[in-house]
Amino acid sequence: MVRRKPVLVLLCFTVLAPIFLYTDRLSSFPSSISNDDFIEDVSNVQAFGNEVGKLNALPQELTNAVKEPIGIVYPDNSINSHQISVQSRDVSATSNAQEVPLRKSGEHKSRVLSATDERNLSEKGSVIEQVVNRRIGKDDSEKSKAEEENKELGSQQTEVQSTPEKQESKSQKKSEETTHKVDPEKLKTAPQDRNSSSTVMPDARVRHLRDQLIRAKVFLGLGATRTNPQYIRELRLRIREVQRTLGDATKDSDLPRNANEKLKVMEQTLAKGKQIQDDCAAVIKKLRAMLHSMEEQLRVNKKQAVFLTQLAAKTLPKGLHCLPLRLSTEYYALDPSQQQFPNQEKLEDPNLHHYALFSDNILAAAVVVNSTVSNAKHPSNLVFHVVTDRLNYAAMKMWFLSNPPGKAAIHVQNIEEFTWLNASYSPVLKQLGSQSMIDYYFRTHHANSDPNLKFRNPKYLSILNHLRFYLPEIFPKLNKVVFLDDDIVVQKDLSGLWTINLKGKVNGAVETCGESFHRFDRYLNFSNPLISKNFDPHACGWAYGMNVFDLVEWRKQNITEVYHSWQRLNHDRLLWKLGSLPPGLITFWNRTFPLDRAWHILGLGYNPHVAQKEIERAAVIHYNGNMKPWLEIGVPKYRNYWSKYVDYDQVFLRECNISP
């Protein structure tokens, strides 16, 4: 009995000790395996039990990236059916490994072995199939490269991993690559990095607020939301808040600080309306009705804007109406001896630089003269010939008598003094005075009137606009004249124009080929055989406003008679409409020498996007168009180039309330 007790103790020790030691070692296994550390757990199994080889595992996708398998129809089902079934088993095995915790070592081993057997049985087919499915949209070269990589992965199946950490890092890296290939749409919607901030649309908050107002107005007009008075009150309140926040803002920096808060509150209110309204057809119908209404309103507003712009362009402001009246009063109060300009001996000297200016706008003419003299290197060589109408003759003389142009000479003439310019000599003068011409352009209720508003401008019926075609008759003793329009500003010395060799041409001008609408076909009627036979519709036009005219060549080539002949042919206005540019293009066809573009830049009277560098390097800037700098509709950022040559402290300007 004494011997039996030690034997029983030893027997119990030999039986229980292996069990205790073995279960103690198994307790070191994790109770569950997550998707992220699946590869590491498999490596641990290989470390403790060498009966399991390396898994031929694909890069594991993240849990939130796993999607339903992509269905692909193959032409030969016998070839790919096995691969599809294996792929579906792999997906189910992966999902089971993620969801079911492994509580026993035997279950863990059997699951690992079964997964390995399935992958080995597929003979790498499922690996290639999954890679191909994930690379839909790539070219064939990328697909073959992926297959070679997977074959290399299968050939290294029996190798032992060195450390679990390296395996995990490689798996994560490949998983990221697979996710990039499988779900490219997520990358499109993913947040941009800091370096790509330039791709963000500018003024996004202003655009968003405006879109919210449109959506809110749609909800106000829908039947489902109109039956909910509480929501309608809330929506109208939010609309007023957003309108106050938006105000006149055109960019995000103009918005107040609480703009983001108002934007979020409005978005919440719109979300409520979306829940109330479930009839998409009604929303689409309402949006279409709003779009049609806005298009019609836009058309009406454009037409009205054109009319108002034309009206403002031809309407004389009060200040400019007051100025000639005030100056005329002062002129007739002067003694006859005080009504004469000095330096009259320079008027016919062909060795001096003569400038011709035809205008009835006193302030505009003053800016042209002042800017030219201010930028001239030798003002004493300048002679200005100003021609105006009878109504503004006294006022124009009085202005330059009280504001002499320094050392330059000036001469003011009345067009009524040109007795040779009459209807029997000038066809255009006869046409402009005819009743049919007046009815055609100014009697809108007549059937034969022109609907284009731009022709209803008094300048088209003024002979001052056509006086530029009679320069040799006006200045019979001069050889060269520089013509200047009254809506230009001279920024640099123009003495270089007098040294340009025109090479036998009559007119020196800057061409306007940069814009398609400055070609011949936009001014002349090429459906008429007289025009189509003699001119090229794609020929480059040129600009009036700053032109060098060789009067010697003019007389030699009899340019005035060429002008008269074409005016007689256009008696019925079938070759071109009113204006001086179309007949100028015809008269000086093949007789114009192109000047450098830096001499003359156009567009400041209609184009708000003229580059500042081009303006600053130009010798002459031209406010051609309706938005003249002396009008309220003038482009504000260009007005300073003109106004700096106006002395607003002058007594006549102050009395007429003319200010910057």
Side-chain angles (χ1 to χ4, degrees):
M1 196 65 182
V2 176
R3 295 178 179 177
R4 189 177 296 173
K5 289 182 179 181
V7 172
L8 291 173
V9 171
L10 291 173
L11 181 62
C12 292
F13 181 80
T14 56
V15 173
L16 296 177
I19 297 173
F20 176 80
L21 292 175
Y22 188 68
T23 55
D24 183 68
R25 174 170 290 186
L26 288 178
S27 64
S28 62
F29 283 103
S31 60
S32 64
I33 299 176
S34 64
N35 187 41
D36 295 334
D37 55 1
F38 181 74
I39 301 299
E40 183 178 356
D41 291 337
V42 173
S43 301
N44 292 333
V45 172
Q46 292 175 347
F48 292 112
N50 294 329
E51 65 272 23
V52 179
K54 176 186 173 183
L55 287 175
N56 184 18
L58 283 171
Q60 299 296 314
E61 296 181 352
L62 298 177
T63 305
N64 55 5
V66 176
K67 294 185 176 181
E68 184 177 350
I70 301 173
I72 302 176
V73 178
Y74 293 92
D76 188 358
N77 294 331
S78 62
I79 297 175
N80 299 294
S81 59
H82 177 68
Q83 295 178 354
I84 296 172
S85 62
V86 172
Q87 182 182 359
S88 61
R89 288 200 302 271
D90 290 342
V91 173
S92 62
T94 305
S95 61
N96 291 334
Q98 293 173 356
E99 296 175 0
V100 181
L102 302 179
R103 299 184 181 276
K104 296 181 181 180
S105 60
E107 294 176 0
H108 187 102
K109 290 180 179 180
S110 62
R111 183 168 287 109
V112 172
L113 288 173
S114 62
T116 306
D117 292 338
E118 286 179 0
R119 293 167 197 263
N120 289 333
L121 288 173
S122 66
E123 295 180 355
K124 309 182 198 69
S126 63
V127 176
I128 298 173
E129 180 64 24
Q130 291 184 16
V131 172
V132 171
N133 289 339
R134 287 174 170 82
R135 299 198 50 145
I136 293 174
K138 299 292 183 179
D139 54 12
D140 295 337
S141 61
E142 291 181 343
K143 289 183 179 180
S144 61
K145 184 177 179 181
E147 292 176 2
E148 292 175 2
E149 292 176 356
N150 286 290
K151 287 180 180 180
E152 292 177 2
L153 183 64
S155 63
Q156 298 174 358
Q157 190 174 13
T158 56
E159 291 181 38
V160 180
Q161 290 289 338
S162 57
T163 57
E165 290 79 3
K166 292 182 180 179
Q167 174 66 23
E168 182 178 2
S169 63
K170 290 181 180 179
S171 176
Q172 291 178 354
K173 182 177 180 181
K174 292 183 179 180
S175 178
E176 292 175 358
E177 293 176 358
T178 306
T179 305
H180 175 74
K181 297 169 185 175
V182 173
D183 198 7
E185 293 297 327
K186 289 187 177 181
L187 295 179
K188 294 181 182 178
T189 58
Q192 301 289 334
D193 55 13
R194 295 179 180 178
N195 295 331
S196 63
S197 60
S198 60
T199 60
V200 179
M201 290 182 63
D203 307 319
R205 288 191 298 169
V206 173
R207 296 171 183 267
H208 196 176
L209 287 170
R210 289 175 179 171
D211 291 343
Q212 285 183 335
L213 288 177
I214 295 174
R215 292 164 57 194
K217 292 177 182 178
V218 172
F219 282 132
L220 283 177
L222 296 176
T225 53
R226 283 202 303 266
T227 58
N228 191 334
Q230 182 178 358
Y231 176 74
I232 291 295
R233 286 194 297 270
E234 180 183 356
L235 187 59
R236 287 175 177 170
L237 175 63
R238 298 292 175 254
I239 290 175
R240 289 194 294 269
E241 290 177 352
V242 171
Q243 288 175 341
R244 285 194 297 266
T245 302
L246 191 58
D248 297 330
T250 57
K251 51 186 178 180
D252 288 352
S253 58
D254 297 336
L255 295 174
R257 295 182 178 179
N258 63 342
N260 288 335
E261 179 183 351
K262 300 299 181 184
L263 190 148
K264 292 179 181 178
V265 174
M266 173 60 96
E267 199 64 37
Q268 294 174 358
T269 304
L270 293 175
K272 294 179 183 178
K274 188 176 180 181
Q275 295 175 356
I276 296 173
Q277 177 58 246
D278 56 356
D279 188 359
C280 295
V283 177
I284 294 173
K285 184 178 179 181
K286 182 66 177 178
L287 287 173
R288 286 178 176 173
M290 290 180 65
L291 179 61
H292 177 74
S293 176
M294 292 302 295
E295 287 178 348
E296 183 65 21
Q297 186 177 357
L298 179 62
R299 186 187 65 81
V300 173
N301 288 341
K302 282 184 176 180
K303 186 176 180 180
Q304 185 178 11
V306 171
F307 173 77
L308 294 176
T309 302
Q310 296 291 337
L311 181 63
K314 68 181 182 180
T315 302
L316 190 66
K318 290 183 178 180
L320 295 183
H321 178 70
C322 164
L323 184 61
L325 297 177
R326 183 72 182 85
L327 289 169
S328 297
T329 304
E330 290 294 326
Y331 176 77
Y332 289 113
L334 296 176
D335 293 333
S337 60
Q338 296 175 331
Q339 295 177 353
Q340 302 300 320
F341 291 104
N343 302 320
Q344 294 298 296
E345 68 280 1
K346 296 182 178 181
L347 299 182
E348 296 181 350
D349 187 352
N351 297 320
L352 300 179
H353 298 169
H354 295 265
Y355 296 90
L357 174 62
F358 309 141
S359 175
D360 57 357
N361 189 323
I362 298 169
L363 197 60
V367 170
V368 174
V369 173
N370 291 345
S371 61
T372 306
V373 174
S374 299
N375 294 283
K377 294 180 180 179
H378 304 288
S380 60
N381 292 335
L382 307 184
V383 181
F384 293 93
H385 302 269
V386 181
V387 181
T388 187
D389 56 12
R390 179 175 54 184
L391 185 64
N392 294 281
Y393 173 68
M396 190 76 74
K397 287 194 70 174
M398 187 61 204
W399 175 267
F400 288 109
L401 286 171
S402 58
N403 301 276
K407 297 180 180 180
I410 191 165
H411 184 214
V412 178
Q413 295 176 277
N414 182 1
I415 195 173
E416 301 294 334
E417 298 173 359
F418 302 151
T419 56
W420 50 266
L421 187 60
N422 49 57
S424 61
Y425 174 69
S426 174
V428 68
L429 188 62
K430 182 179 180 179
Q431 293 171 13
L432 292 177
S434 64
Q435 188 62 37
S436 61
M437 180 73 75
I438 297 174
D439 291 344
Y440 181 77
Y441 289 102
F442 291 95
R443 301 288 179 86
T444 57
H445 59 276
H446 285 194
N448 63 342
S449 63
D450 196 295
N452 197 332
L453 293 175
K454 75 175 183 178
F455 293 115
R456 297 173 196 166
N457 195 316
K459 72 176 184 178
Y460 291 109
L461 292 180
S462 173
I463 190 60
L464 284 175
N465 198 40
H466 295 265
L467 203 60
R468 63 195 68 184
F469 294 100
Y470 299 99
L471 291 174
E473 289 81 2
I474 299 173
F475 310 112
K477 296 184 179 181
L478 299 181
N479 299 328
K480 184 176 288 189
V481 169
V482 172
F483 170 79
L484 299 176
D485 242 335
D486 63 354
D487 55 352
I488 63 104
V489 173
V490 178
Q491 299 187 127
K492 296 181 180 180
D493 179 52
L494 299 182
S495 59
L497 293 172
W498 302 91
T499 61
I500 295 177
N501 183 8
L502 298 181
K503 299 181 180 179
K505 305 295 185 180
V506 178
N507 175 28
V510 172
E511 293 183 335
T512 55
C513 291
E515 302 291 343
S516 60
F517 59 85
H518 282 160
R519 297 186 182 272
F520 271 46
D521 60 344
R522 298 304 300 269
Y523 297 100
L524 305 177
N525 180 19
F526 275 86
S527 62
N528 191 296
L530 285 174
I531 298 296
S532 59
K533 290 179 181 179
N534 292 279
F535 306 102
D536 180 8
H538 302 293
C540 184
W542 45 268
Y544 262 130
M546 194 283 298
N547 305 79
V548 183
F549 289 106
D550 187 341
L551 301 185
V552 176
E553 287 292 332
W554 187 310
R555 298 183 185 99
K556 186 185 300 184
Q557 300 180 29
N558 200 8
I559 299 300
T560 303
E561 183 56 32
V562 174
Y563 168 71
H564 282 173
S565 62
W566 281 105
Q567 284 288 357
R568 294 188 190 99
L569 293 173
N570 192 44
H571 65 92
D572 52 2
R573 299 171 296 277
L574 295 180
L575 303 184
W576 69 84
K577 302 292 186 180
L578 278 177
S580 59
L581 183 56
L585 296 176
I586 289 178
T587 302
F588 296 102
W589 166 254
N590 290 331
R591 299 181 179 95
T592 300
F593 178 81
L595 300 179
D596 188 272
R597 293 180 62 87
W599 281 110
H600 185 195
I601 187 172
L602 300 149
L604 277 71
Y606 68 90
N607 182 11
H609 305 295
V610 181
Q612 185 177 358
K613 291 182 179 179
E614 294 184 5
I615 296 175
E616 292 176 351
R617 75 183 184 93
V620 173
I621 57 176
H622 196 172
Y623 292 85
N624 59 311
N626 289 323
M627 295 182 282
K628 305 298 185 184
W630 55 83
L631 300 176
E632 292 184 2
I633 61 174
V635 181
K637 65 179 181 178
Y638 301 149
R639 186 174 286 120
N640 183 59
Y641 297 106
W642 184 86
S643 61
K644 68 180 180 180
Y645 293 105
V646 179
D647 183 11
Y648 290 100
D649 293 330
Q650 212 273 345
V651 58
F652 297 114
L653 298 185
R654 291 203 311 268
E655 290 177 355
C656 291
N657 295 321
I658 298 176
S659 58

